[in-house]
Amino acid sequence: MNAIFGRRFKSENSVSNFTNVQQLREIMPALLEGYLTEAEMPNSFLLLSPPPEHNSSFFELDLEHARKALESKDEARFLQAAIDADLSFPFAVKSFESIIGMQISESKTPKLYVLMRRVMTDAGLSTYAAKNYYKRERPFMVNNQKTCTPDQENILYKVGSFPSGHAAVGWAWSLVLIKLFPEKEKEILKRGHDFGESRIVCNVHWYSDVKMGRTMGQATVECLWGNSDFLADWDSVKKEMQEILDSNLE
């Protein structure tokens, strides 16, 4: 196993530092501004313990998850991981639509659509303090095996692996959606969880990256509940949802 995964820790490649939305638009041009100011944003470097040391049982767990993902023959799950990797809108939230029974789009649910995009920005950006500091190598950079998104690998080389921004986003979305659709809580949380797991399946994140990504997703949502702009939009979203439900009853 050591021969496959090596024992490197920090990336030897050129890793970019991202600290704000303008810089992140280098890799995600359509990104909207989030709700949280820099002062309100949860700091992943301060909140999270460092990535596992390579002689630790925690890193052995990372290796085990990575090995299982590489050995898996589940082509459908690999395809789903590729689908979950796409954070462009409206595509990014499609996998939640069948669960909530509603299309999330600029035309059908414009208030929810914008809120989901802005939450994505905040949850993703919350991970970058740790990403920028640790510059952790991703599994595919170490094991030299394929990912589910070969077209994204040039970008992924530039961004540290710990913690996972996708996992933060998927979990943040699920925590928001269960407030709107509490009767679907179990299914929504499973989708948010699996959204993060897809990064392991894709061979672009370690298990600990994903686990700590969810921690940052939750921390972000907790901060959002104290943000006046988010709360104002939240009230608009609830009204929008009620209008849709009422129209369905007519």
Side-chain angles (χ1 to χ4, degrees):
M1 186 181 297
N2 291 351
I4 297 175
F5 289 94
R7 288 298 179 187
R8 290 173 289 174
F9 182 65
K10 275 196 173 185
S11 174
E12 297 170 1
N13 298 280
S14 176
V15 178
S16 300
N17 286 347
F18 298 97
T19 60
N20 56 50
V21 175
Q22 289 71 31
Q23 290 171 338
L24 271 179
R25 285 184 179 138
E26 176 186 330
I27 56 177
M28 297 182 69
L31 202 64
L32 292 185
E33 291 282 345
Y35 291 102
L36 301 176
T37 66
E38 184 178 351
E40 294 172 322
M41 183 74 65
N43 187 308
S44 52
F45 176 68
L46 298 178
L47 286 175
L48 304 179
S49 299
E53 295 287 349
H54 282 186
N55 60 352
S56 69
S57 60
F58 295 107
F59 186 64
E60 292 301 321
L61 189 60
D62 277 350
L63 293 175
E64 180 182 351
H65 280 268
R67 185 185 69 249
K68 287 181 178 179
L70 289 176
E71 293 175 350
S72 174
K73 305 300 181 183
D74 190 341
E75 294 183 4
R77 185 65 185 89
F78 193 72
L79 177 60
Q80 183 62 54
I83 293 171
D84 289 341
D86 189 346
L87 291 180
S88 64
F89 269 73
F91 188 82
V93 289
K94 289 292 183 185
S95 61
F96 286 93
E97 292 180 344
S98 62
I99 298 172
I100 66 175
M102 185 179 297
Q103 182 180 345
I104 304 173
S105 69
E106 195 167 13
S107 60
K108 299 290 185 181
T109 55
K111 302 295 186 183
L112 179 60
Y113 183 80
V114 170
L115 184 133
M116 295 285 276
R117 291 184 68 183
R118 296 186 71 181
V119 168
M120 179 181 76
T121 299
D122 287 328
L125 195 56
S126 77
T127 65
Y128 275 86
K131 282 179 178 290
N132 294 338
Y133 181 81
Y134 294 114
K135 298 178 176 16
R136 191 185 195 189
E137 284 190 321
R138 295 169 182 271
F140 78 91
M141 297 164 63
V142 177
N143 59 40
N144 297 314
Q145 300 297 308
K146 69 177 182 179
T147 72
C148 68
T149 53
D151 58 314
Q152 294 182 10
E153 288 175 13
N154 285 339
I155 292 175
L156 293 175
Y157 271 111
K158 299 179 181 180
V159 183
S161 186
F162 179 88
S164 166
H166 277 73
V169 169
W171 196 239
W173 279 341
S174 68
L175 293 177
V176 168
L177 289 173
I178 61 174
K179 298 294 186 180
L180 292 172
F181 306 95
E183 73 282 2
K184 300 286 188 178
E185 178 174 346
K186 182 178 179 180
E187 296 91 338
I188 292 170
L189 290 178
K190 183 179 187 305
R191 177 82 280 267
H193 177 274
D194 289 349
F195 198 89
E197 292 296 294
S198 285
R199 305 307 280 166
I200 302 171
V201 174
C202 194
N203 192 36
V204 295
H205 273 295
W206 305 101
Y207 169 76
S208 57
D209 299 339
V210 170
K211 186 177 179 180
M212 292 299 100
R214 293 192 192 103
T215 296
M216 293 313 303
Q218 181 171 343
T220 298
V221 172
E222 289 173 357
C223 291
L224 286 170
W225 289 122
N227 179 276
S228 58
D229 290 340
F230 173 80
L231 292 175
D233 278 2
W234 180 251
D235 287 340
S236 297
V237 168
K238 288 194 296 183
K239 291 176 182 177
E240 180 177 75
M241 295 298 101
Q242 190 59 52
E243 289 171 359
I244 291 173
L245 292 175
D246 289 345
S247 67
N248 289 339
L249 295 176
E250 294 176 355

